[in-house]
């Protein structure tokens, strides 16, 4: 979603400048066209060459350079911008933006552009907390600017306080959200499940599966970046979930069922990418099972009695009140992909079923790519190439959006 977006990145003179070189590089890699403007003081910290190298574009530093081109360029940059980001935003630049000064390239672009403004203040904590800075930030927020609060931690002054520029992933999340706020999922509430469930055997052991959560996370991030209000319901995974959404942790199938049922009551779409255990131990031991204990059979073997877990999607299929909910399921198969996929599509009354042959290399559990076939409720079958999970997620939402159009 950053592909082709015009981002003007205003960089002010603070020690956090070095972090913004990384942000510029990540935005460029994601396909954004990043026009960097350095204030005079930012250029004291890092040379323009650093930013032109990572952005692959000219860097602007001076509104008053002798050719006069930059003076005209500020109108052009402002008009073309999809978003103006100021990071790090110093107390001085925040004050100048709040009061409409336009005495350098950055503030001139800020006055001329109609693009949304995203500010990431970073400074010494007393400066940040000063009533003047706070009043200026309030003024900017009242005018529609989005402020990313600084993080608390070690500051360049040696003190600890609120004033650190957040790391690149946090800044990227804010940028993506702001750019996506008018996206094709704006105003929609969606629920995505991710990861595997862990069904306890005793307090230290469980029955689990190999799901990393990556497929579900990619779906949740894509929906967030298209403007959706996302609830992500996560089973067990070692990967931290994405920012910018409501995250509910549900280690077991039963907990996931309760969370899904509650979340879908308000939702427009549900995408179940989680690998939910079909069985659980009927009565998990309350103490760790020891070798030679009474739990063992006479021959030293151990018997676990498994009972069926509820099928979350199948249960929802029975609820007529949820008929308006767009429902998307996955099928993880190792054999008879087509037969099993069409059976699940029908029996769970899904709008779309995403089938992956998890025995294929680069596909299914724990990989960053996936090769899926889409089974539509109208009988269409659409195989996709082996793609990064992020692109599979985008393709799935592309198919869901037209289904949502039928809903008010
Ligand atoms: O997490 P990753 O490492 O990125 O891997 C991605 C994935 C392989 C887990 C994902 O692409 C995937 O296939 N997820 C579904 C796995 C699965 O449980 O498939 P299934 O065929 O057993 O279930 C069919 C559908 O019913 C699924 O949408 C599942 O979430 C749902 N289900 C299953 C069991 C159950 N008790 N309740 C359910 O709702």
């Amino acid at each position: 979603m950053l592909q082709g977006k015009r981002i003007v990145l205003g960089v002010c003179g603070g020690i956090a400048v070095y972090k913004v070189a990384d942000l510029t590089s990540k935005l460029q890699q994601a396909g954004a066209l990043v026009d960097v403007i350095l204030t005079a003081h930012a250029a004291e910290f890092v040379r323009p060459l650093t930013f032109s190298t990572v952005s692959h574009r000219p860097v602007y530093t001076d509104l008053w350079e002798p050719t006069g081109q930059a003076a005209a360029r500020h109108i052009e940059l402002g008009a073309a911008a999809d978003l103006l980001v100021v990071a790090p935003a110093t107390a001085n630049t925040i004050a100048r933006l709040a009061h409409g000064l336009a005495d350098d390239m950055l503030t001139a672009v800020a006055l001329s552009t109609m693009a949304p403004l995203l500010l990431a203040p970073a400074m010494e904590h007393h400066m940040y907390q000063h009533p003047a800075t706070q009043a200026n930030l309030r003024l900017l927020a009242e005018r529609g600017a989005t402020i990313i609060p600084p993080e608390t931690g070690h500051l360049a002054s040696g003190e600890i306080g609120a004033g650190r520029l957040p790391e690149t992933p946090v800044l990227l999340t804010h940028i993506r959200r702001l750019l996506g706020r008018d996206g094709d999922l704006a105003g929609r509430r969606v629920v995505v499940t991710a990861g595997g469930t862990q069904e306890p055997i005793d307090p230290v052991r469980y029955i689990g599966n190999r799901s990393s959560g990556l497929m579900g996370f990619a779906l949740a991030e894509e929906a967030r970046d298209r403007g959706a209000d996302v609830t992500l319901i996560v089973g067990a995974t070692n990967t931290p979930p994405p920012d910018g959404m409501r995250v509910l942790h549900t280690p077991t199938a039963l907990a996931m069922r309760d969370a899904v049922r509650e979340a879908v009551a308000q939702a427009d779409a549900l995408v179940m990418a989680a690998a939910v255990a079909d069985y659980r131990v009927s009565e998990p031991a309350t103490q760790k099972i020891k070798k030679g204990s009474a739990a063992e059979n006479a021959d030293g073997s151990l018997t676990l009695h498994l009972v069926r877990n509820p099928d979350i999607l199948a249960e929802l299929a029975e609820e007529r009140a949820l008929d308006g909910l767009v429902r998307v399921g996955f099928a993880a198969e190792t054999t008879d992909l087509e037969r099993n996929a069409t059976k699940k599509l029908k029996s769970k009354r899904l709008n779309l079923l995403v089938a992956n042959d998890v025995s294929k290399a680069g596909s299914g559990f724990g990989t960053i790519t996936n090769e899926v076939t889409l089974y539509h409720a109208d009988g269409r079958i659409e195989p996709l190439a082996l793609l990064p999970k992020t692109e599979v997620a985008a393709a799935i939402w592309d198919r869901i959006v037209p289904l949502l159009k039928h809903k008010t």
Side-chain angles (χ1 to χ4, degrees):
M1 69 93 50
L2 286 169
Q3 191 67 38
K5 293 287 183 200
R6 293 285 302 261
I7 297 174
V8 174
L9 178 55
V11 184
C12 309
I15 187 60
V17 171
Y18 74 95
K19 289 188 182 174
V20 182
D22 180 48
L23 172 68
T24 310
S25 174
K26 296 289 185 314
L27 288 169
Q28 191 279 331
Q29 288 167 37
L33 302 169
V34 190
D35 291 305
V36 176
I37 303 173
L38 297 184
T39 63
H41 294 120
E44 306 266 335
F45 281 92
V46 183
R47 283 166 56 81
L49 182 63
T50 305
F51 284 96
S52 56
T53 306
V54 288
S55 68
H56 302 185
R57 294 172 72 77
V59 168
Y60 302 92
T61 51
D62 188 2
L63 189 58
W64 309 114
E65 49 82 37
T67 66
Q69 281 189 354
R73 191 56 62 83
H74 77 271
I75 305 287
E76 213 177 289
L77 283 176
D82 294 302
L83 179 66
L84 170 59
V85 181
V86 183
T90 54
N92 180 45
T93 297
I94 288 168
R96 291 189 303 129
L97 290 170
H99 296 284
L101 302 189
D103 57 351
D104 68 359
M105 189 66 169
L106 172 56
T107 48
V109 170
L111 267 197
S112 75
T113 190
M114 303 301 288
L117 172 62
L118 180 64
L119 285 169
M123 65 198 76
E124 202 274 329
H125 64 130
H126 294 111
M127 291 176 84
Y128 175 66
Q129 258 128 25
H130 193 284
T133 305
Q134 290 300 316
N136 288 332
L137 285 169
R138 268 196 307 279
L139 199 58
L140 288 162
E142 277 161 24
R143 280 192 220 131
T146 303
I147 319 282
I148 306 175
E151 290 181 351
T152 299
H154 282 278
L155 303 170
S157 62
E159 296 202 21
I160 293 179
R164 283 171 62 86
L165 185 72
E167 300 301 322
T168 302
V170 177
L171 300 175
L172 278 172
T173 297
H174 282 274
I175 290 171
R176 288 175 180 276
R177 273 178 87 183
L178 208 50
L179 283 170
R181 69 180 178 183
D182 298 322
D184 55 9
L185 288 171
R188 296 295 186 182
R189 291 190 195 161
V190 305
V191 180
V192 176
T193 66
T197 61
Q198 292 183 344
E199 308 301 327
I201 296 171
D202 67 16
V204 297
R205 306 181 181 95
Y206 57 82
I207 299 171
N209 61 64
R210 297 179 198 282
S211 173
S212 63
L214 291 179
M215 189 66 247
F217 290 178
L219 283 154
E221 283 188 287
E222 178 69 18
R224 175 200 66 198
D225 295 347
R226 290 174 177 222
D229 176 340
V230 181
T231 298
L232 174 63
I233 299 176
V234 190
T237 161
N238 292 325
T239 318
D243 294 316
M245 56 192 72
R246 184 163 80 115
V247 179
L248 305 173
H249 292 276
T250 56
T252 64
L254 290 177
M256 186 173 279
R257 176 188 51 178
D258 291 347
V260 169
R261 290 183 76 87
E262 200 238 296
V264 293
Q266 306 296 326
D268 299 296
L270 166 68
V271 183
M272 288 278 304
V276 188
D278 288 323
Y279 300 94
R280 68 178 185 279
V281 176
S282 58
E283 283 180 40
T286 52
Q287 303 297 328
K288 183 181 170 193
I289 299 172
K290 298 233 186 278
K291 284 186 291 234
S293 71
E296 262 187 10
N297 300 321
D299 64 358
S301 62
L302 183 73
T303 305
L304 294 178
H305 182 244
L306 303 183
V307 291
R308 276 260 199 109
N309 267 329
D311 188 311
I312 303 170
L313 278 174
E315 279 189 357
L316 297 181
E318 300 301 318
E319 302 214 7
R320 298 290 147 181
L322 291 176
D323 274 358
L325 178 75
V326 173
R327 274 164 293 183
V328 179
F330 272 69
E333 304 295 342
T334 49
T335 54
D336 290 330
L337 188 84
E338 181 160 347
R339 196 164 59 87
N340 291 325
T342 31
K343 198 168 147 201
K344 283 178 186 170
L345 176 74
K346 289 208 173 86
S347 66
K348 301 192 186 204
R349 293 182 60 235
L350 302 172
N351 298 85
L352 185 68
L353 184 119
V354 183
N356 34 203
D357 181 344
V358 293
S359 62
K360 269 195 183 168
S363 201
F365 293 97
T367 55
I368 55 166
T369 52
N370 208 1
E371 188 175 338
V372 304
T373 302
L374 304 179
Y375 292 82
H376 296 259
D378 62 10
R380 276 177 301 132
I381 299 176
E382 220 188 327
L384 301 185
L386 179 68
L387 295 169
K389 281 180 176 166
T390 49
E391 289 180 33
V392 175
I396 292 169
W397 287 112
D398 284 345
R399 309 308 185 275
I400 296 173
V401 166
L403 302 172
L404 290 167
K405 295 235 163 85
H406 298 298
K407 290 173 57 94
T408 48

